[in-house]
Amino acid sequence: MPRGERPLDPGDGPLLRFAADLRRLRAAAGGPSYRAMAGRAHYSSSTLSDAAGGRRLPGLDVTLAYVRACGGDEPEWRLRWEGLSVDLAEARVGPDEPQDGTGAAYPGPAAYRAQDAERFSGREAVVQRLLSRLALRRVVALLGASGEGKTSVLCAGLVPASKHGRWCSVLTPGTDPVGRLAARLAEVTGRGPDELAARLVADRRALHRIARAALADEPDDVDLLLVVDQFEDLFTLCRDGGRAAAFVDLLLVAATATGSRVRVVLGVRADFHAHCARFPGLVEAVDAGRVPLGAMAPEEFRRAVTRPAQSAGCAVEADLLVRLAVDAAGRPGVLPLVSHALLETWRRRRGNALTLAGYQAAGGICGVLAQRAEAVYREMSGQRRELARQVLLRLASSGGMTEDIGHPTRPGPLNEVVAALIGARVLTATENGTALAHEGLLRAWPRLREWLDQDGAGVRTQRQLTDAAQLWRSLDRDPGALYRTSRLATAVAWVARADPVLTAVEREFLRQSTTAEAAARRAAARNRRYRQVLAAAVAALLLVVVLVAARVVQQDLEHDQARSLPGVVCVPGCGGGVLP
């Protein structure tokens, strides 16, 4: 007879309630033994028993295996597990480990800052390229996809390594780039921000003159280094085109003027490179000083994962390092998710070791991504929630990426939703389009899974439409590749029912297909009418021919009869008449 289960510790915390509910689920299933459950769940009986022990949160995979062995509702328990994981992470804050992660070895979804330089690693080669390029040029641009770590490279890599010391200043343009610039200049020069802002607005050479005056007593090789991170704010947040142009003009004039004491480094998201053409001279400056930021090499990734833990006197388990490398391989913009997962693993560390078990208990990259997706979704209003659902379904049905679903640079609810999802790292934007940050979101986020299950036919229609539109475009918009008849009717009916988010190519494909189908129907109707008229004409002609033939035959018969009568002479030209 199996021994009884250890009673739960007294208390009424969320973890104990979770464990108690797992036990109730097992009881409702008839109280199977843990050995029997192990045979169904493919986990050891001790692992399943610990899951309902109430001492720590089991991993998501173990929880779902427990639920599956008891015949429970896996999506419901996945949601419960994710909510409890977030609650426990927020509650697990000691005096030396504040909630914002400042006491942890990893910054989570936030970027590394200058004070994190000692634990920032993996991007040494890029930092060195920036320094080398900066020694030759006064305008340098770091271009990379969303989530590749541009802010960390600039703030925790370039700034601490720069020789310009206290004359380094990092700013983001925000909604008022000139005002932000004045505030940063006030910090390094000691002058009033209002006075500086007035000068910057009034004189396009003001930045050049302010820098020369401020560095008059400094060595010639020391300049004012302005690091403008998130340069794309000029296109997404700053709605005053005049202020944005004035800001760019101040930077370029100061960096290119004779006797310049200003150097500028721009952090630009790769998909906004083309937008730089809005400002004269900017694209040329960016391209001439361009430093690309790509994915980390395996050794760089290893250092980026292990060095922060080592700086805090901890170690990363080898199995965890391998799992992280597999989960992150080949996925653009995944670094913030890796850092977030490592922060949650850090909070679940065992002694001085970050373990694979802790990573799994945190839900891994997919788990933290699902939590972030759920959080940003819940923060949205009703209309934006619907748009977010459509965007995510559209990406899920297109294989995770699309070239055109929204424009974060333009106002409007759809574009604001896309920008919010990119900002939360649920989506990532590259030069090739917008994509899910990780395809594991399709499995890890119950809400998205539920959406996909509820409209499987719509998802298939969307995927077929995407493929057909891309094929049509690749064939130079060949009319022969357009939708016809039943496929067009299915797609049009789905669009009318679901009102989905479509790309510009898909919308044009459907429009051209509808136009071509209408033209084909009109042509078919004309052909039918022509055939009907032709058939009527032929019938009339045949009738005339028949009547004429009948008359001729009748005349011939009459003629023959007359010739056979004695004493009757046929007179030609008398209509068959005879003379006695």
Side-chain angles (χ1 to χ4, degrees), residues 52-102:
R55 294 181 176 179
R56 61 177 178 271
L57 180 66
L60 177 60
D61 50 351
V62 174
T63 300
L64 295 181
Y66 189 110
V67 171
R68 188 163 50 252
C70 297
D73 186 341
E74 291 186 52
E76 176 187 348
W77 279 91
R78 181 189 289 269
L79 279 174
R80 288 195 58 184
W81 183 94
E82 290 172 351
L84 179 57
S85 176
V86 172
D87 293 342
L88 293 177
E90 292 175 349
R92 194 182 294 109
V93 179
D96 60 343
E97 191 172 320
Q99 177 59 42
D100 60 7
T102 53

Side-chain angles (χ1 to χ4, degrees), residues 267-300:
V268 186
R269 218 169 75 189
D271 54 313
F272 282 89
H273 175 248
H275 292 270
C276 293
R278 297 182 187 180
F279 305 109
L282 182 58
V283 169
E284 293 80 0
V286 166
D287 288 345
R290 179 174 182 167
V291 175
L293 180 66
M296 285 184 171
E299 177 58 25
E300 292 175 326

Side-chain angles (χ1 to χ4, degrees), residues 428-444:
T428 184
T430 68
E431 291 179 295
N432 297 322
T434 306
L436 294 175
H438 199 292
E439 67 271 16
L441 186 66
L442 301 175
R443 302 183 301 274

